[in-house]
Amino acid sequence: MKISANELRIGMLIEYNGKLWTAGKTQHVKPGKGGAFVQVEMKELKTGTKLNERFRSDEILEKVRLDEEECQLLYSDGDSYTFMNMTTFDQIQVSKDIIGDSACYLKDNMVVKISMYEGEIVGVVLPDTVVMEVIEADAVVKAQTAASSYKPAVLENGIRILVPPHIEAGTKIVVNTADSTYVERAK
């Protein structure tokens, strides 16, 4: 499937120079002089080699078609996670390396999508947001203005993020799994 470089998102699998690459960080850049481009940090699927590549925004890339299965997390042991396919009830072992940094957001019974290419697991797609509890939050400094004043907080999984001043320890919040940012207070 052909896509333009502007449509490239984190986690997408593309074929580039005869190899399969997973898109990591993507940044759309519009310099003052010259045409817009997309700066992409990619990781080669088989060897794990990383590459920073710059694509013109109108450049056409080959997106690889993946088979996706909905799976539920059963348990984790060390460096691997065991998921259950929601349709066939088969158990699937996935290495922590395949999941990447977002593994810290996995919770028991969480439903994720496991991406496969020709029968081989190439990635795990978490929900866009998860509900996490704040276990530690700094006190509010009174001299700060209300606009754009955020304070550091620690989540139940040990990740440090910035939250608004009204968030205190024990509060449940919604966190974006792609970039570990505060979205809103959980309802």
Side-chain angles (χ1 to χ4, degrees):
M1 182 167 121
K2 306 270 187 207
I3 61 169
S4 73
N6 275 341
E7 297 173 276
L8 192 60
R9 300 288 178 258
I10 294 173
M12 282 187 176
L13 194 66
I14 61 170
E15 190 172 335
Y16 180 68
N17 289 343
K19 297 180 180 176
L20 295 178
W21 299 85
T22 304
K25 295 178 187 171
T26 60
Q27 181 180 9
H28 299 271
V29 180
K30 174 67 176 107
K33 191 175 190 180
F37 61 89
V38 180
Q39 182 76 34
V40 183
E41 185 178 294
M42 302 186 300
K43 184 176 178 183
E44 208 262 317
L45 209 56
K46 291 193 170 41
T47 62
T49 307
K50 289 192 176 182
L51 174 70
N52 278 317
E53 193 66 35
R54 187 178 282 186
F55 298 106
R56 292 184 326 275
S57 59
D58 61 347
E59 195 168 337
I60 301 298
L61 302 171
E62 185 66 36
K63 180 181 175 193
V64 176
R65 183 157 164 35
L66 297 174
D67 298 321
E68 290 189 336
E69 297 283 339
E70 275 201 349
C71 297
Q72 182 179 26
L73 177 63
L74 297 177
Y75 61 90
S76 68
D77 54 341
D79 289 340
S80 69
Y81 292 84
T82 303
F83 294 90
M84 178 184 65
N85 187 314
M86 301 289 280
T87 53
T88 64
F89 304 108
D90 292 336
Q91 289 190 6
I92 303 168
Q93 292 265 174
V94 180
S95 167
K96 189 175 183 178
D97 296 336
I98 292 174
I99 300 170
D101 294 339
S102 58
C104 62
Y105 291 110
L106 286 172
K107 290 183 169 184
D108 288 343
N109 301 322
M110 179 182 276
V111 176
V112 299
K113 288 184 181 169
I114 293 184
S115 305
M116 293 184 232
Y117 179 70
E118 296 178 351
E120 185 179 335
I121 297 170
V122 295
V124 175
V125 180
L126 272 62
D128 292 338
T129 59
V130 293
V131 175
M132 301 295 284
E133 184 176 345
V134 175
I135 59 168
E136 184 182 314
D138 289 356
V140 177
V141 178
K142 289 190 180 213
Q144 290 180 335
T145 60
S148 74
S149 63
Y150 279 76
K151 63 182 184 179
V154 179
L155 302 177
E156 63 186 87
N157 60 0
I159 300 294
R160 294 183 65 81
I161 67 167
L162 294 174
V163 297
H166 67 274
I167 301 296
E168 297 174 357
T171 306
K172 291 194 181 281
I173 61 171
V174 178
V175 179
N176 185 333
T177 57
D179 58 5
S180 296
T181 56
Y182 170 86
V183 176
E184 65 183 356
R185 175 180 245 150
K187 293 175 173 62

